[in-house]
Structures are given as C-alpha cells and as structure tokens.
C-alpha cells in the first residue's frame, strides 16, 4: 500500500513521544489515554449517549480498560466519541478537580491518537499498539504566555499578522493547546503530515482537500 | 471553511450547502461523491462500509490519491477534537468574513452558543 513515509514516520515519532513523560502526565498514563480513546467505541455508556437526543440526559459509568481516574476517562471517552456535543457547562463541571494543563495534555494525546487510528482504520490497517512506556517524571513546566481569547481555556498568546491565505499567521487552532506547548508540538508533528495550507505533496487538488476537511468538520459538528 | 477561499482564488463557485446536507446540489469538485462517501464511511461507518468506500475510491481515483484522501480525513477527525474540546472561537477575521457562508451552510448550528442552548 502506498502509504507516505512522512505519515508513517510521524505516527511512529508520536507514539514514541506519547510513551515518554510529558509536561503533566507520565508515559504510562499517556499510553493509557490512547487505549481508552480506542475503547470508547465499545463503551456502552458512550454508545447510549451518542444515540441519545441529548448526551446529557444519560448517566452511568464508562467501561474502562485502564486504572485512570474517572474524570480522565470521562474526558477521553467523551472527546473521542462525541466531541461535537461538548459544551462549556460540561467542561466547567470537570473543574476545578482537573487542572487546565492536564486537560490540555489529555486533549492533545486524544486528538493525536484519533488521527493515527482513523488513518489506520481508513486504510484497513491494524491499530498500532502503544510503545513501551518510559520512566521519568513530567516536567510540570507552566506556560505563562497564554491569553483569554474566548475559548474555554486560555490559548497561546501570539502577535498575529495577516497571511497570504487570508488567515492570521497563527490561527486559533494552532494556539488552542497553548497551556502545554509540548502538546502543540506533539499534535502538529502529526497533523502537519495530514494537512497543510501550502506545500502539500498529496495527489489531491486543493478543492478536493478542502472539501474533505469541511465534510469531516461538519460530521464532527465543529464550528471552528 | 477554506473551500470557499479556494473557490475565490480560482474564481469558481462551489455549492457549499451539500457539505452540511443543507442542499442536495453537487458541490462542483471532481470525484466529490466518491470522496464524500469515503469521508462519511471513515468517520461514521462500519468496517465494511469503510472497505467498500475505499475500494471504490481506489478504483476511481487510484491508490495514492485515495490514501491521501484518507490522510486528510484522519487529520480533520483529530483536529476537530481540539477545536470542539476547547470551545475554540473563530479567528476574528474569519468570523467577520464568513457570515454569509455560515448562513448558507447552517454552520452556526455548531456554535458554542447554539450548543449551550440545545444541550445546556
């Protein structure tokens, strides 16, 4: 199968990084995030909520495959299975027990894992197992360079200028994980190999690419 | 939605409503039915649906273009989790320049305020 080396290399690098200590989570926990995210498809509660008119009308416990805290599992399963119906009220209920930085690190790993797993499923390949977790303490370095821009959490503070794409030089999506800069690095190390505003080597026209992007965004009920 | 900008650049008008199922008219992109079926199958379908859609894409677009399509689909299935999971607002420039497009496609139904109103 003609899978581009740039993509398979990026996925392998991401799995290596996930298996090591992050900024707020250790390698074992980060690997468990990948496994829990995958398992959300088989979770009865997630399926009930997904099929419900309102996911907030269904209570219960998630089927977990790890010993992660229950609030981590709620975040991982909900974002993986039904992110389009998340609201700020849901997010606020998670706090203050879950530090914003931990939430962001979880989110970055979930999103990275979703890309890798969706690609594997779409190409008919087996899902890659997480790599062996490496020992080590999270750095716990906070990033003060963030700003309130109207999202649920502060995002990266940057000086923006218009670019030739008509978008700001650093659009909000590149700033969203700003509380944990290593999460930005991890996520875009993978994402950049799947999509770029310019210099893509894909055998698709720009129109075909943007049509797919827009359709998937719509299926995910994504306003951004 | 950068498809609109892409159309502006090539002076092509796309029917964006089909992307959000608010119109049944074709969008105006080559191989759109096959590509949209592939995206729908991968994001919401079963293994069998994905396999069928992938084989149709291989047959119509060729293997490399089909795998590239899967790559884009996978990328956006992930990046939307970041946007949805942070309640990310549009960039101000985008917000101001997409009012008509958001109306045409009913994308405003996905806005934070609408979600809060619907689900609390």
């Amino acid at each position: 199968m003609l899978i581009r080396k740039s993509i398979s290399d990026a996925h392998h690098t991401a799995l290596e990084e996930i298996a090591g200590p992050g900024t707020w989570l250790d390698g074992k926990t980060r690997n468990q995030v990948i496994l829990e995210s995958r398992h959300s498809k088989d979770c009865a509660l997630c399926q009930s909520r997904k099929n419900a008119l309102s996911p907030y009308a269904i209570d219960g416990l998630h089927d977990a495959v790890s010993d992660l805290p229950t609030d981590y599992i709620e975040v991982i399963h909900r974002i993986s299975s039904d992110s389009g119906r998340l609201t700020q009220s849901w997010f606020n209920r998670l706090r203050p027990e879950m530090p914003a930085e931990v939430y962001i690190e979880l989110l970055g790993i979930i999103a990275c894992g979703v890309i890798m797993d969706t690609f594997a499923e779409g190409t008919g390949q087996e899902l890659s197992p997480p790599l062996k977790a490496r020992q080590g303490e999270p750095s716990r370095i906070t990033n003060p360079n963030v700003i309130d821009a109207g999202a649920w959490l502060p995002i990266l503070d940057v000086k923006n200028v218009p670019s030739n794409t008509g978008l700001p030089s650093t659009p909000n999506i590149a700033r969203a994980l700003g509380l944990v800069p290593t999460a930005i690095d991890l996520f875009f190390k993978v994402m950049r190999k799947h999509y770029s505003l310019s210099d893509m080597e894909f055998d698709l026209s720009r129109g075909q690419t943007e049509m797919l992007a827009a359709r998937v965004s719509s299926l995910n009920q994504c306003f951004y | 939605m950068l498809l609109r900008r892409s159309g502006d650049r090539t002076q092509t008008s796309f029917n964006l409503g089909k992307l959000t199922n608010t119109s049944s008219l074709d969008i105006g992109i080559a191989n759109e039915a096959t590509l949209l079926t592939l995206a729908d199958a991968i994001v919401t379908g079963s293994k069998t649906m994905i396999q069928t859609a992938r084989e149709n894409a291989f047959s119509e677009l060729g293997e490399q273009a089909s795998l590239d399509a899967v790559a884009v689909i996978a990328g956006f299935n992930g990046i939307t989790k970041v946007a949805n999971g942070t309640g990310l607002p549009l960039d101000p420039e985008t917000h101001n320049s997409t009012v008509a497009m958001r109306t045409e496609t009913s994308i405003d139904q996905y806005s934070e305020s609408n979600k809060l109103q619907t689900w609390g």
Side-chain angles (χ1 to χ4, degrees), chain A residues 147-198:
Chain A
I147 188 172
D148 180 359
W152 300 342
L153 321 92
I155 67 174
L156 196 65
D157 188 13
V158 294
K159 187 168 177 59
N160 257 320
V161 292
S163 72
N164 59 6
T165 62
L167 292 172
S169 52
T170 310
N172 282 352
I173 193 66
R175 305 164 62 195
L177 303 173
L179 277 168
V180 184
T182 55
I184 299 179
D185 292 343
L186 172 69
F187 178 75
F188 281 99
K189 205 168 277 177
V190 174
M191 184 64 200
R192 268 195 297 271
K193 303 303 176 189
H194 285 257
Y195 174 84
S196 170
L197 285 171
S198 58

Side-chain angles (χ1 to χ4, degrees), chain A residues 1-4 7 53-56 79-80 83-89 103-104 107 111 114-115 118-119 121-124 149-153 155 164-168 170-173 176-177 187-188 191 194-195 197 200 202-204 206-224, chain B residues 1-6 9 14 18-21 27 29-33 35-40 42-44 50 54 58 61 63-95 102 107-112 115-116 118-120:
Chain A
M1 202 173 264
L2 300 170
I3 291 177
R4 292 188 186 276
I7 289 179
L53 278 179
S54 170
Y56 300 96
I79 292 173
S80 303
S83 75
R85 297 195 289 179
L86 298 179
T87 63
Q88 186 158 19
S89 302
Y103 178 86
I104 288 293
L107 177 57
V114 166
I115 294 178
T118 306
F119 186 70
E121 290 163 352
T123 53
W152 300 342
L153 321 92
I155 67 174
N164 59 6
T165 62
L167 292 172
T170 310
N172 282 352
I173 193 66
L177 303 173
F187 178 75
F188 281 99
M191 184 64 200
H194 285 257
Y195 174 84
L197 285 171
M200 280 185 70
F202 285 3
D203 283 5
L204 295 172
R206 177 52 63 178
Q208 288 172 317
T209 301
E210 298 303 343
M211 177 188 71
L212 288 169
R215 178 64 149 210
V216 176
S217 298
S218 174
L219 291 170
N220 279 280
Q221 302 181 60
C222 182
F223 182 62
Y224 186 83
Chain B
M1 193 182 290
L2 289 176
L3 182 55
R4 186 182 57 101
R5 286 188 200 277
S6 179
R9 214 172 285 155
F14 296 126
K18 190 169 185 180
L19 291 166
T20 49
N21 292 323
I27 299 166
I29 298 282
N31 314 107
E32 65 180 63
L35 288 167
L36 293 178
T37 301
L38 183 64
D40 292 356
I42 290 173
V43 177
T44 66
I50 295 172
R54 186 174 59 243
F58 273 29
L61 288 95
E63 185 173 341
Q64 187 64 73
S66 301
L67 294 176
D68 289 344
V70 175
V72 174
I73 292 162
F76 275 80
N77 205 30
I79 203 166
T80 48
K81 307 303 189 266
V82 174
N84 285 339
T86 52
L88 196 64
L90 292 174
D91 303 280
E93 300 88 338
T94 311
H95 188 273
R102 297 201 315 268
I107 282 178
D108 281 333
Q109 69 183 305
Y110 307 146
S111 68
E112 177 68 24
K115 287 178 180 178
L116 265 177
T118 308
W119 297 303

Side-chain angles (χ1 to χ4, degrees), chain A residues 21-23 25-26 135-140:
Chain A
T23 305
L25 305 171
D26 61 25
Q135 299 290 319
E137 286 297 309
S139 65
R140 296 192 174 84

